[in-house]
Amino acid sequence: MIKGMAFFMALFLTALCSAPSMAGARVSDRTQECLECHTAIHPGIVRAWERSRMARMTPAGAVALPEEERRVSFKGVPEALGRVVVGCAECHTLHPETHKDTFEHNGHRVHVVVTPTDCATCHPVEMSQFRENLMSRAYGNLRENSIYRSLSDSVNGPHTLKGVEIVTGRPDLGTEADSCLYCHGTKVLVEGKETRETEMGEMTFPVLQGWPSQGVGRVNPDGSKGACSACHTRHTFSIEMARKPHTCSECHKGPDVPAYKVYNVSKHGNTYCALGKTWNFDAVPWVVGRDFTAPTCAACHVSGIADEDGNVIAGRTHRMNDRLAWRILGLIYAHPQPRSPDTTVLRNRLDLPLPTELTGEPVSKGLIDTRTMEARQERMERICLSCHATGWVKGHFARLENTIRTTNEMTRTATRILMNAWEEGVAGGLAQGDGIFNEVIEKKWVEQWLFFANSTRYASAMAGADYGVFSGGRWHLSRNIHEMMERFNDLMEQKE
């Protein structure tokens, strides 16, 4: 009975999808083959795709729209996609020769992981921009940087007690994939193949290490980096979802990157919560004042914004730092944005892979210059000026630069206390060949910049000032300095 109903559903969907979706669009024969089985096996996936724009419009139809309304960026319609909508086969059978996860499946060469290179068939400009984005290198920038890797290991590694000492081991792959690499992305490797019994009989599938993963810096089996689904969740790939702050909150909520928490307590977040249900999140271009009345994360950092006369306020970009002069998160000190998305190439005077010296001076060779900072600042201010007067906008960014200066100074004070502990030999540091994240005074130093300075700067940048005072900001910055100094004095007394 159940199999009969599933077969009927498959026939119904096939007939439905064979009908014109938009301007004569139809589903390809190969995608119809996929739907005949997966409608019953994975109804959630199929229904999500049905609701997507890709299921209703061909690439030819998408590129025929006026330029300001297009969501694709290719110049010529790919021959295979000219007359059909983008369905299962159009994504999961592209470039089979470059995908190490390609396998034979019901007469087709299919791969599991759809990558930015696949998406670039219709979105080459977006893929090219994303490739120059720090997010695309999030895996390597964490795993291939000895400092950040040491910090990650100190958090995720198993802690055991041997005698009176705590020993930290290396974390296993499962723990890493379930923590830092959830957002940074894993490295997806093909370990082999396995045969499984399915509802459709016995089938062979690739065995993937590092899967599932939709972290922004995922290293894919075809060698590409990134996951478009981090923001445009499969299989709807909704621009509305990418524009709403809940999507960004997956990776920007913790005390190290509290963007979502700050947004919630800001006037912008308040407006979104109260009025967002009346906004049009699907419009292209996105018209300020008509489609929305307060910015979300995407409005400031990604989306194409226009006024009601069609004038472009900010062009759409997938290079998320295009409108950012300063890098205010994750590092010991705030500093100008790096020139390259690969931050492992940065080296300070101690040959550490950091964008600043331990005392705060920026490594200028690897960071953007003043002219570039001014150009990016001007792009961001143009968005703010669509709702605020010049005096308001200039005053806001003057406060942010002051916050950057003062939080860097508070971090510098904490760093001096730690360096004194290293020099006095009451804590093991770089000179002793020891880790710099494994002692109490060192962990408090990390909290100073990774949690409290970051929170204060985010609160200032995003107009959520209350969060940057007692919740996670200035109170903790000042208290932490006193606690570090008390710890240093205790260690000195023990030494004497």
Side-chain angles (χ1 to χ4, degrees), residues 7-43:
F7 180 68
F8 174 77
M9 285 177 61
L11 288 178
F12 174 77
L13 182 66
T14 301
L16 177 69
C17 291
S18 297
S21 302
M22 197 179 279
R26 68 176 184 85
V27 173
S28 69
D29 293 341
R30 292 188 304 160
T31 288
Q32 285 191 29
E33 286 187 53
C34 302
L35 294 171
E36 286 172 5
C37 293
H38 287 278
T39 301
I41 301 171
H42 300 123

Side-chain angles (χ1 to χ4, degrees), residues 206 220 258 307 481:
N220 300 301
D307 63 21
I481 285 176

Side-chain angles (χ1 to χ4, degrees), residues 282-350:
D282 195 56
V284 175
W286 211 15
V287 177
V288 62
R290 184 183 72 194
D291 297 324
F292 67 102
T293 55
T296 65
C297 316
C300 291
H301 297 289
V302 186
S303 295
I305 308 296
D307 63 21
E308 294 198 44
D309 294 325
N311 300 309
V312 175
I313 296 171
R316 183 176 69 217
T317 181
H318 282 66
R319 189 168 42 235
M320 276 58 169
N321 56 6
D322 266 358
R323 306 169 191 170
L324 293 176
W326 294 94
R327 191 180 183 197
I328 64 172
L329 76 152
L331 282 303
I332 301 171
Y333 298 96
H335 58 274
Q337 288 280 337
R339 297 177 187 271
S340 169
D342 179 5
T343 60
T344 62
V345 301
L346 296 169
R347 287 290 185 280
N348 65 13
R349 286 196 297 266
L350 295 177

